[in-house]
Every structure is written in structure tokens, then in C-alpha cells.
Amino acid sequence: MAEVLQNPLPNAPRQVAFSVIRVPFFLEPGYDENKPYIESNRDRLAKKWGGKEGWERQKASHDLKGRGLEAGIPHFNLDRLTGNTMASHRLIQHIGKTYGLATSEAIYDVLNEYYFVDGHSLNDRPRLANAVALELGKLLPKEEVPSAKDLLLFLNSNEGRKEIEEALAGLRQIGVHSIPKFIVEGKTLIDGAAHAPIFIEVFRKIEMRGEIQSDPVFADVLGLPQEIIEKGSHHDVEELSS
């Protein structure tokens, strides 16, 4: 996105902007929702890949460190605590619907550091509520900021669960069984391993066209109002780095 936002085509009909919708995906759907965490990520991956040697081969073949740096994650905490992510997925969707996609993207970035760098479990609900309330206090007008108590009540509820479950079913229907994946204009599926030129080519075609050809495929499933989508999440490079 940065290349397209920073260097718009001079002959494009209009300046492009982005509406990023985070579609939930569970790496460990069997994790107990009632436990703050289950195990360390190091232990999880060692079991998944058949021991330490298998895990080392996966790290080397997928260049996880390099991909993390590209995403703004300076280093991965391998001993981060893993847990069920239903509550945190519901929270991100709730923030997007309530305060807009720019705000939910800012919180998503904070949670990347909270989990991948600081190593906290995404199902440690009191800690998660405090961290998100603190960040929302920097992003929203004072009278709109929810308290940590309010966010904890939401996390401990079932609000938004139906939308998450339907989105997961939708991913299975279109054959998405691993992440990251990107769906552009609701129809073009790009694998997360694709390099930047692939994305830029797709975005430039839309930029030259001056309009999108179809709506986001998961917007209705997740209950995102059209006005929230139209406001967008990224309009300039500063929003990508904030």
C-alpha cells in the first residue's frame, strides 16, 4: 500500500485509498476459551513441526524474521503465550464497527506488538482490555473512550461471536485454510507469500480504473456498515506508519 499511496500515478482518475477488513482466522481452534493461555509458541511450533529440527527448517524456509521486519515487527518473541483468539477477534471487529477501520487498524498494530514482541496472550482478557483502553485513549475524543471495564465486559460476553463463526465458515467455503491471504476487491485472492510487485500491480490497475468492481466479500458477514467501509482505513503513508 505504501508505494501506491506515496507515489500516486499522475494520470489516475482519482487518488486511491484503502479499506482494510481483518477477516478472523484461528491457528488453534481447539484451544480452550476459558484459559488465559495454553502454551508457549515455541512449544506449539515444536509439536506442530515434529520437534526442534523441524521447526528450524520451517523458520529458514519461510524467512519469518524478514517477513516480520516488513510488517514492522522488530523481533518475534518465540516464548509468547498462545491462547484461544475468539475474544480478541470479536474485539477488533467491534472496534472497527464502532470507531472505524482506521481505529481498528491502529489497535491491530498495537496488538501485534502486544503479542508478537511482548509475548502476552491474546486471551488474557483483563490485560488485553487494559492495553486496548490505553491505546484508544490516544486515538479517540475523551468522551468516546471506553473504559477497560467496559472492554472487559465485552470480551467476556458473546457479542459478535456469530459473525466470527460465519466468517470462518466463509473462508472454508472459498478454500482458505492457511494465512496470510489477501482478498482484493472481493474477488482477487493473493497469497501472503507474494512479493510487493504482485500487490502493486493489482493496486495500480484499480488506481487507473478509478473505481472498484465489486464490494468486500466479507463485509456483510462481519456486519460492517457501508459508511464505515467508505471512510476507509488508509489514505496516506502516515497512517501506515502511525
Side-chain angles (χ1 to χ4, degrees), residues 18-187:
F18 293 86
S19 295
V20 176
I21 300 171
R22 300 284 175 177
V23 182
F25 186 89
F26 284 40
L27 291 175
E28 298 291 347
Y31 275 175
D32 189 339
E33 285 189 53
N34 296 312
K35 295 182 178 180
Y37 71 93
I38 303 299
E39 59 190 338
S40 75
N41 194 60
R42 188 188 301 271
D43 291 341
R44 181 184 79 87
L45 292 174
K47 288 191 293 186
K48 179 177 180 179
W49 300 113
K52 184 177 180 180
E53 290 184 2
W55 165 227
E56 292 297 331
R57 286 195 298 270
Q58 288 296 319
K59 283 198 295 184
S61 64
H62 287 84
D63 186 26
L64 295 182
K65 184 175 182 180
R67 288 166 62 182
L69 289 172
E70 288 180 1
I73 301 171
H75 70 275
F76 286 105
N77 184 339
L78 279 178
D79 293 304
R80 60 187 180 269
L81 299 178
T82 62
N84 188 284
T85 52
M86 172 61 83
S88 59
H89 282 311
R90 290 192 297 104
L91 182 60
I92 285 293
Q93 297 301 324
H94 172 69
I95 290 171
K97 286 184 277 191
T98 306
Y99 305 109
L101 296 176
T103 301
S104 61
E105 278 296 284
I107 296 301
Y108 192 88
D109 289 343
V110 167
L111 294 188
N112 272 339
E113 184 168 346
Y114 169 96
Y115 175 62
F116 288 111
V117 179
D118 297 335
H120 302 309
S121 170
L122 290 168
N123 204 37
D124 182 344
R125 298 177 188 181
R127 185 191 292 272
L128 181 63
N130 283 324
V132 172
L134 180 64
E135 190 62 25
L136 287 175
K138 304 173 187 177
L139 298 170
L140 301 173
K142 186 176 180 179
E143 64 274 11
E144 294 183 18
V145 178
S147 68
K149 182 179 179 181
D150 291 334
L151 294 178
L152 184 57
L153 286 172
F154 174 85
L155 288 168
N156 287 332
S157 74
N158 275 316
E159 184 178 341
R161 175 183 291 271
K162 180 174 178 288
E163 290 89 336
I164 300 297
E165 291 174 344
E166 290 181 352
L168 293 171
L171 288 174
R172 290 191 294 269
Q173 288 175 2
I174 63 174
V176 174
H177 302 293
S178 63
I179 56 171
K181 293 287 191 295
F182 300 87
I183 304 174
V184 183
E185 281 190 300
K187 61 179 184 178

